[in-house]
Amino acid sequence: SPRLCKVVKAKDASNIPRGQFKIVISENNYIRKLSIDDKASAVKGDIPKHILIADNQESILLFDDKGKVFKLPVHKIPLTEKGTNGCDIRMIIKGLTANIAAVLYEPTVKKVSEIKGAKHFITVVTEGNYIKKLDIDDFLNVPLSGIIYTKLVSSNDRVVDIQITPDNLDLIIYSGHKALRVPMSEVPNYKRASQGVLAMNTKESIGGISVVYPNATHIIVVTASGRVNKFSISGLDKSVRNKGGSSVIKLGKTDKILSIHGVNDDNVISVITRAGREVYKVKDFDTLSSVSSGVKLASSKGDNMIIKVEVGLDQ
């Protein structure tokens, strides 16, 4: 006999409306849910730190800088009125007490976990110079109450960067003055409750990590004072973990490295400052050398202070 009941997907049965939104998390841990076309600008001096596009029926993973990750369904984020700074994430997620270090889109994590060939990991690095990689499967079923993803060596340490990393590529680890390029095989695969191993042979704080993808032809370095240096990728040799690293730009006395990425001429860099976001084409920068002082991009004073640098494709 003909089917009498209607077959629906589990997501549709929950009565959660469909639709894509722009999710913005600020420096002060406020979260906004905007329409796709809304501009993710600073509100009342609170700067956007993490921006992603997410479906209302999916979830995001929020990694705090003290070692815990929480799952947040997008539909639980209130729709934000224009001109307001949203709501404090701690009002939505009970148990969250630290700052947000990274945000991953759960469907992306699931998709990457299913890739055949090179295994992918989630790599974690702390300001206090500890690094490790974690099985990506550990993050496929994060509960709303959260789980611990890393142990910190001291209460003063904090997580500064988290990246999804293919195990067959290279990783750049950088401090304020040096950068170290290592194969991902140099980073040990540890459990969530471990603290990891030393990333670089340095007394400086670690600034972050980035993956060198196969199509990268150049290294681009951005400093806190707004200088940019672009040089051939061959200028940053491969090494092993826990080495001192190499110079990638000639720095002023008070300047430091803010961000390093492997890029090609099809990429753009988005520079987020307190005044907003500026996009620059990588191909418009001259190729210099790893000992060059680079070119001036922006002032580091006042509203032009650089908060974050992201790399994307030139549209």
Side-chain angles (χ1 to χ4, degrees):
S1 62
R3 185 187 297 276
L4 301 178
C5 61
K6 183 180 179 181
V7 178
V8 297
K9 294 181 179 179
K11 291 177 183 177
D12 295 332
S14 63
N15 293 321
I16 298 171
R18 290 181 175 274
Q20 287 196 321
F21 293 92
K22 184 179 292 181
I23 308 301
V24 182
I25 298 174
S26 74
E27 253 188 333
N28 295 333
N29 294 321
Y30 274 74
I31 190 165
R32 284 184 279 164
K33 182 177 176 181
L34 309 171
S35 70
I36 296 293
D37 298 326
D38 284 349
K39 189 176 180 181
S41 56
V43 178
K44 300 176 182 178
D46 196 7
I47 311 301
K49 191 174 180 182
H50 308 283
I51 303 171
L52 73 160
I53 304 300
D55 190 278
N56 202 46
Q57 294 184 331
E58 300 292 351
S59 297
I60 58 176
L61 301 179
L62 302 174
F63 293 77
D64 74 22
D65 63 2
K66 291 301 181 181
K68 200 167 182 180
V69 55
F70 299 86
K71 177 178 177 176
L72 176 58
V74 175
H75 75 269
K76 290 193 173 183
I77 306 170
L79 197 59
T80 308
E81 295 182 9
K82 289 185 178 180
T84 63
N85 59 355
C87 66
D88 193 323
I89 301 177
R90 290 164 292 190
M91 299 296 291
I92 305 174
I93 302 178
K94 303 301 179 185
L96 176 64
T97 57
N99 295 320
I100 302 300
V103 183
L104 296 180
Y105 190 37
E106 189 181 52
T108 300
V109 175
K110 290 179 178 178
K111 185 177 180 180
V112 169
S113 72
E114 297 168 355
I115 293 176
K116 305 297 182 183
K119 186 174 174 60
H120 286 64
F121 292 89
I122 287 183
T123 299
V124 178
V125 66
T126 75
E127 186 177 59
N129 196 22
Y130 283 85
I131 192 169
K132 68 175 181 179
K133 62 188 179 191
L134 295 153
D135 288 326
I136 203 164
D137 291 350
D138 290 348
F139 301 91
L140 296 180
N141 295 293
V142 175
L144 299 178
S145 57
I147 56 172
I148 292 172
Y149 69 87
T150 196
K151 178 183 177 183
L152 298 178
V153 69
S154 74
S155 59
N156 294 325
D157 200 5
R158 66 186 182 96
V159 175
V160 290
D161 208 351
I162 293 171
Q163 299 281 345
I164 296 176
T165 51
D167 207 37
N168 61 338
L169 299 183
D170 293 345
L171 191 71
I172 299 175
I173 310 164
Y174 56 93
S175 64
H177 289 76
K178 297 288 183 70
L180 182 66
R181 178 181 175 186
V182 299
M184 271 298 298
S185 57
E186 281 287 312
V187 180
N189 181 200
Y190 280 175
K191 298 296 184 182
R192 291 188 289 108
S194 66
Q195 66 186 31
V197 295
L198 292 176
M200 295 178 69
N201 184 7
T202 180
K203 294 182 179 179
E204 286 192 313
S205 298
I206 299 300
I209 54 176
S210 63
V211 179
V212 181
Y213 289 98
N215 60 356
T217 57
H218 293 82
I219 299 292
I220 203 155
V221 184
V222 182
T223 75
S225 73
R227 300 200 72 85
V228 177
N229 191 30
K230 173 186 169 186
F231 61 92
S232 171
I233 197 166
S234 62
L236 185 58
D237 293 332
K238 291 186 183 183
S239 184
V240 294
R241 183 184 53 78
N242 203 22
K243 292 296 183 180
S246 306
S247 295
V248 287
I249 187 171
K250 183 179 179 181
L251 292 165
K253 290 183 179 180
T254 59
D255 205 1
K256 68 176 183 177
I257 296 167
L258 183 69
S259 188
I260 300 178
H261 298 275
V263 296
N264 60 50
D265 282 347
D266 291 329
N267 290 135
V268 296
I269 59 170
S270 295
V271 179
I272 302 171
T273 72
R274 294 189 179 277
R277 179 192 294 259
E278 294 291 337
V279 178
Y280 302 87
K281 294 182 178 182
V282 168
K283 64 183 179 183
D284 290 342
F285 293 104
D286 292 335
T287 299
L288 303 172
S289 73
S290 60
V291 294
S292 169
S293 58
V295 295
K296 191 68 172 176
L297 185 69
S299 169
S300 63
K301 297 178 181 179
D303 286 345
N304 286 323
M305 182 177 291
I306 298 175
I307 304 298
K308 190 176 182 180
V309 179
E310 299 172 339
V311 171
L313 287 174
D314 186 358
Q315 302 298 324

